Amino acid sequence: MKRPILIHPDPRLKKAAPPVEDISDELRKLADDMLETMYDAPGIGLAAPQVGVSTRLITLDCVKEEGAAPRPLVMFNPRVIAASDERSTYEEGCLSIPDQYAEVERPAEVTVEWLDRDGTLQTEDFDGLWATCVQHEIDHLDGKLFIDYLKPLKRQMITRKMLKLKKERARAAG
Ligand SMILES: [Zn+2]
């Protein structure tokens, strides 16, 4: 089941989410819904707070090559346990900030630890787009958006555009 994605600014996007203590069927269902919502958008990553659920769960799939097999990842309590000194810059976007893109610099490689949907601890090194995406999604769990890395003026400009978009959408919805 697809879920509505919250649009910035929204206080629920600014709140740090508490850790998952028990991976219940309900949370696995939420993960499935998030994957469906993410692929439909389309997007390469989604965090539970973006669908209004304050819990440490993210989904991602950064496979871009045409015809390549998808790699849906579900991460409960994801944590960056090591980051490279080397940094890389990507033009980032966010499903909660539609049609706005800006360059953000982050560590080029990260080691991430998480619990999979069976509660098994997984560890993996990510680089390239995967590294950017997983850091962007983990930021959401701490109430942080990619625009928080930008200069205040640019951030305010984007926020004003989003307020306008939300107003238009509310009007369209009657
Ligand atoms: Zn995002």
Side-chain angles (χ1 to χ4, degrees):
M1 187 188 76
K2 257 180 21 167
R3 302 201 181 205
I5 298 172
L6 300 181
I7 302 299
H8 164 76
D10 188 302
R12 289 168 288 182
L13 293 171
K14 300 300 292 175
K15 211 176 133 229
V20 172
E21 285 180 13
D22 175 40
I23 300 170
S24 60
D25 286 343
E26 195 187 334
L27 280 175
R28 276 187 278 263
K29 173 75 171 74
L30 172 63
D32 290 338
D33 287 354
M34 283 170 56
L35 281 170
E36 191 182 334
T37 305
M38 179 185 90
Y39 284 125
D40 180 74
I44 57 173
L46 190 65
Q50 291 181 276
V51 293
V53 183
S54 188
T55 194
R56 300 189 83 81
L57 163 62
I58 63 172
T59 58
L60 59 158
D61 184 347
C62 304
V63 173
K64 292 189 304 183
E65 300 78 18
E66 198 71 38
R71 190 185 179 214
L73 279 180
V74 169
M75 299 182 174
F76 293 97
N77 298 340
R79 211 155 63 85
V80 173
I81 56 170
S84 63
D85 291 333
E86 192 202 329
R87 305 184 54 95
S88 68
T89 302
Y90 265 95
E91 186 160 76
E92 295 191 21
C94 181
L95 293 177
S96 293
I97 311 174
D99 301 322
Q100 302 299 315
Y101 303 91
E103 288 193 337
V104 177
E105 189 193 288
R106 301 179 185 269
E109 275 179 60
V110 287
T111 306
V112 179
E113 190 179 83
W114 74 94
L115 297 173
D116 67 17
R117 54 194 308 143
D118 301 316
T120 307
L121 188 68
Q122 304 281 350
T123 308
E124 189 172 326
D125 296 333
F126 293 98
D127 62 10
L129 183 60
W130 285 89
T132 290
C133 183
V134 75
Q135 292 176 80
H136 173 121
E137 299 312 327
I138 292 173
D139 273 353
H140 274 298
L141 305 181
D142 296 318
K144 191 164 187 181
L145 302 171
F146 83 90
I147 56 170
D148 294 330
Y149 292 94
L150 309 179
K151 296 209 171 74
L153 212 61
K154 171 95 175 159
R155 183 164 63 236
Q156 285 156 16
M157 195 185 76
I158 291 177
T159 300
R160 273 199 302 273
K161 281 187 188 162
M162 291 301 105
L163 282 167
K164 192 162 166 258
L165 175 74
K166 288 174 81 163
K167 214 183 267 176
E168 284 165 4
R169 284 192 180 180
R171 203 178 293 138

